[in-house]
Amino acid sequence: FDEAKAVLRAGFEERLIGAKVVVTMGELRSLQVRVTGDVVKPGVYTVGALTTLVDALLATGGVKYTGSLRDIQVKRSGKLLTRFDLYDLLLHGDASADVSLQHNDVIFVPPIGDIVYVGGEVQRPGIYELRGETRLGQVLDLAGGLTASASLQDSIIERVIPGQYRTLVSLRGGVPLKQTVIGGDFLRILPVDDTLDAVVMLSGHAKRPGGYQLRAGMRVSALVP
C-alpha cells in the first residue's frame, strides 16, 4: 500500500502541476467462511477480504490430529474448488497452491488417510500421512532423509496384514528405496554396526592410548612413537 500511494501521488503531481494529492485506503471488507470437518474449532468465521486458506486454518485453531493434512478441501457454491496438500507448505515452503477465499466458502478437512510410522536414524522421526501409492524413498524424504549413522540395508518394516497377522519386511538386497510402503507400516531405520574396522588399539603405558588407523605394512615401531 505504501508503494501504491507513492506511485499514485507521483503520477498525479506530474500531470497536475501545483496539485497536492492525498491517497487514503478505506477499511477492508470482511467475508464469512465456514470451517468444518476434523478441525480444532469448527464454525462460521468472519475474516478479512485478503484471507487465504492457510490463514483461515491458522486463525481457527488448525487441524486436529485426526484430520488430513494432505486433502484439505475448499468448496464454493456447492462445488469443489481445490484440494490443498499442507505438506507442500510445511515440508517444502511451497504455498503456490494456497487460494484466496470468497464469501460463503466452505473449508472441509476430512479424516486422516493412511499413515506410516518412521523411527530410528532419520532426521525427523514421526507419523506421516500417505497420499496414493508411496515408495520408501518418498517416505524418507518426508522424514528429512537418513542420518549419517543409518544403515538402510539392515533396517526393517513392521507390517500388519489386515485381519490376519504381523510380519517383517527386510530391506536387505534389491533396491530398498523402491519398496512399496502401505498404511500402518512402522519403518525402523537401524544404525550401522557399532564396531571399528581397519583400526588397531594401543593400550597400556602409552602417552596417547586409543585407536589408530591401520595402514598397509604398518609395524609396531611406526605406531608406538
Side-chain angles (χ1 to χ4, degrees):
F1 177 59
D2 289 339
E3 294 173 359
K5 287 197 299 183
V7 170
L8 290 172
R9 187 182 299 114
F12 274 102
E13 291 178 354
E14 286 177 3
R15 290 164 177 77
L16 301 175
I17 304 300
K20 176 132 180 107
V21 179
V22 177
V23 182
T24 61
M25 183 176 182
E27 184 177 349
L28 289 174
R29 68 183 181 90
S30 60
L31 50 88
Q32 284 190 332
V33 296
R34 183 179 298 275
V35 183
T36 184
D38 284 62
V39 291
V40 175
K41 298 177 181 178
V44 177
Y45 290 87
T46 300
V47 296
L50 302 180
T51 301
T52 67
L53 167 60
V54 174
D55 295 334
L57 284 176
L58 293 175
T60 57
V63 179
K64 293 170 63 176
Y65 72 92
T66 56
S68 173
L69 296 179
R70 310 207 65 178
D71 189 27
I72 300 172
Q73 302 170 17
V74 177
K75 299 182 179 182
R76 182 170 296 165
S77 300
K79 297 180 180 180
L80 180 63
L81 177 67
T82 187
R83 295 177 183 270
F84 183 67
D85 186 348
L86 198 57
Y87 275 26
D88 290 337
L89 177 61
L90 295 176
L91 301 180
H92 308 294
D94 181 6
S96 59
D98 195 9
V99 295
S100 296
L101 299 177
Q102 294 184 12
H103 189 62
N104 287 332
D105 278 355
V106 175
I107 299 173
F108 174 66
V109 179
I112 192 170
D114 290 335
I115 57 175
V116 61
Y117 306 83
V118 185
E121 302 298 313
V122 292
Q123 301 292 349
R124 288 193 300 262
I127 300 173
Y128 294 91
E129 184 179 357
L130 303 180
R131 189 176 185 182
E133 184 176 347
T134 308
R135 306 291 183 181
L136 176 60
Q138 295 172 298
V139 173
L140 292 178
D141 287 341
L142 294 177
L146 300 172
T147 65
S149 58
S151 176
L152 191 58
Q153 290 288 332
D154 294 324
S155 300
I156 57 173
I157 297 175
E158 296 182 7
R159 177 168 294 172
V160 176
I161 306 301
Q164 299 183 49
Y165 56 86
R166 293 180 179 271
T167 186
L168 296 179
V169 178
S170 174
L171 300 180
R172 183 173 294 277
V175 186
L177 293 180
K178 293 187 177 181
Q179 171 73 43
T180 300
V181 177
I182 64 176
D185 279 356
F186 194 145
L187 176 58
R188 294 187 182 274
I189 302 298
L190 302 179
V192 296
D193 190 12
D194 192 19
T195 59
L196 295 174
D197 195 15
V199 169
V200 294
M201 300 300 296
L202 177 63
S203 63
H205 292 273
K207 288 186 177 180
R208 289 193 294 270
Y212 290 85
Q213 181 182 356
L214 176 63
R215 295 183 173 86
M218 188 175 186
R219 295 176 177 272
V220 175
S221 59
L223 175 63
V224 174

